[in-house]
Amino acid sequence: MTIPAVNDPVATTQAVTARGLTHRYGERVALRDVGFRVERGTKYAFLGPNGSGKSTLFKLLATILPVQQGDLWAMGVDVTRAPASLRAQLGVVFQSPAIDRKLTVRQNLLYGGRMFGLSGRRLDDRVAEVMARTQLAERAGDKVETLSGGLRRRVELAKCLLHQPALLVLDEPTTGLDPTARRDLWSLLSGFEGSTVMFTTHLLDEAEAADRVLILHAGEVVAEGTPAELSRSVGGEALEVSVDPEQADAVRAELQERFQIEAKAFDGTLRAQVADAHRLVAAVVDALGERARRVAVSPPSLLDVYFLKTGAPFAAAGDGDGDRDGKRQPASRRRR
């Protein structure tokens, strides 16, 4: 995708335009030459394992970190030069809680509204509106510490909506929530027509629900597009074979020789994209015998896009949040 130059009118009419973003923490490069474009009114996901650069991108968009290198425009504002000008249009939900557990739901929203410059009747009306919209009206007098994790997340979301932001930026918004609470939160977010929603996630199903996805690995862009486009780009079906890690290289060579299957291996998992892979399952099982602990076939997904581009299984590509602690798995463990 061609990213317009910052003096191109397109850069100011899109919700967000990034070009050549590079960010370092000391000697460590967290982002390298990242570019993307987000249309207004869409939902855009940054997908990647821990340490991929998602949180750094979030912090740049939330104007928590200054842009070190590259260009970033959001809602017509040059964030590189005037980040404070964006904040009135920005709603932010952090991964860590940013509400007071000892206050009630309504008290949290009142204090939050005052921070956005709201007061009097306008503040009271906005608090009532966002509580109704996030289905919190019946819990207005409850202290936050008594709420479930899902309801606390709703309070966070309600607070960031008080000033009617045009751009919502969320960092791993469903962290720690059970499946039901996750569905409820995304159901609420899906109703925000007209707002642009950008979020980071390491969950494949959340990314697949976005309009477009930017996949990150070790601070670089692996792929970008709609979930359907990305999945189709893989080609074929995903064939996955689990074996003893000590036998992985020998089995990989055998799959190549007998079936012309180019599999990539990580520990005891071999994965390949194969046309009509389901037709090969019986033959593969028969050839490998007891060496095959598991043989499975699935349609191509974002998981396969990541695996095909990096050679690393998605869950194993990071070792803690590299944007915070700088930790990352050695290359010998990430990839074979």
Side-chain angles (χ1 to χ4, degrees):
M1 178 180 64
T2 301
I3 304 299
V6 292
N7 59 356
D8 189 318
V10 173
T12 57
T13 57
Q14 299 290 323
V16 177
T17 299
R19 183 186 179 94
L21 290 180
T22 297
H23 198 91
R24 294 175 175 84
Y25 297 99
E27 295 182 357
R28 185 176 68 84
V29 180
L31 294 175
R32 188 188 304 276
D33 196 26
V34 171
F36 56 89
R37 189 171 65 209
V38 182
E39 295 185 5
R40 294 183 186 240
T42 60
K43 293 179 177 60
Y44 196 94
F46 297 122
L47 174 67
N50 292 334
S52 61
K54 304 188 309 295
S55 291
T56 297
L57 268 178
F58 165 82
K59 291 170 185 174
L60 292 174
L61 286 164
T63 71
I64 297 170
L65 291 176
V67 176
Q68 293 179 347
Q69 183 177 333
D71 297 295
L72 180 62
W73 286 74
M75 309 312 295
V77 173
D78 184 350
V79 183
T80 309
R81 296 170 177 79
S85 300
L86 174 64
R87 291 170 190 157
Q89 302 184 70
L90 193 62
V92 179
V93 174
F94 298 93
Q95 187 174 157
S96 300
I99 48 178
D100 193 319
R101 296 164 59 94
K102 295 297 182 181
L103 299 182
T104 66
V105 171
R106 188 170 188 276
Q107 287 170 335
N108 267 282
L109 297 182
L110 287 171
Y111 285 123
R114 292 189 182 105
M115 292 180 65
F116 290 124
L118 302 176
S119 61
R121 180 64 178 270
R122 186 183 176 207
L123 174 59
D124 290 338
D125 288 346
R126 284 300 300 154
V127 168
E129 287 172 17
V130 298
M131 282 196 298
R133 190 172 188 181
T134 54
Q135 301 171 19
L136 287 168
E138 294 183 357
R139 311 302 293 269
D142 294 354
K143 288 187 176 181
V144 167
E145 65 183 359
T146 68
L147 303 180
S148 66
L151 288 175
R152 290 177 192 174
R153 266 311 198 195
R154 288 195 203 179
V155 178
E156 302 255 15
L157 182 59
K159 188 174 74 169
C160 90
L161 293 173
L162 285 165
H163 62 305
Q164 297 175 298
L167 176 63
L168 301 181
V169 183
L170 307 95
D171 190 18
E172 301 276 2
T174 61
T175 295
L177 301 187
D178 61 45
T180 299
R182 283 178 55 205
R183 286 195 300 271
D184 289 345
L185 183 64
W186 284 113
S187 177
L188 290 173
L189 285 169
S190 66
F192 296 151
E193 296 182 3
S195 296
T196 304
V197 180
M198 302 182 69
F199 63 95
T200 70
T201 185
H202 63 277
L203 300 173
L204 296 161
D205 60 332
E206 289 188 354
E208 287 171 348
D211 295 307
R212 295 187 73 85
V213 181
L214 184 82
I215 303 179
L216 293 162
H217 171 75
E220 298 184 2
V221 176
V222 170
E224 196 276 351
T226 69
E229 289 170 348
L230 292 172
S231 295
R232 285 197 301 268
S233 72
V234 173
E237 299 171 311
L239 175 68
E240 186 173 289
V241 181
S242 298
V243 298
D244 187 307
E246 294 183 358
Q247 298 179 330
D249 288 338
V251 171
R252 179 172 56 177
E254 185 172 343
L255 290 175
Q256 167 64 33
E257 181 179 352
R258 297 187 62 167
F259 302 103
Q260 291 73 56
I261 293 175
E262 293 280 355
K264 294 183 179 180
F266 183 87
D267 291 336
T269 299
L270 296 98
R271 196 171 178 94
Q273 276 62 54
V274 183
D276 296 326
H278 62 280
R279 299 181 184 275
L280 292 176
V281 171
V284 169
V285 171
D286 184 60
L288 299 182
E290 294 182 355
R291 290 176 296 168
R293 296 176 175 177
R294 176 176 177 270
V295 178
V297 174
S298 62
S301 67
L302 296 180
L303 174 66
D304 298 297
V305 177
Y306 185 89
F307 189 82
L308 184 65
K309 296 287 187 179
T310 68
F314 188 86
D319 167 336
D321 189 340
D323 296 335
R324 287 200 294 267
D325 59 30
K327 296 178 181 178
R328 188 173 293 157
Q329 286 187 338
S332 60
R333 286 299 307 277
R334 290 200 308 271
R335 190 170 182 170
R336 293 183 62 187

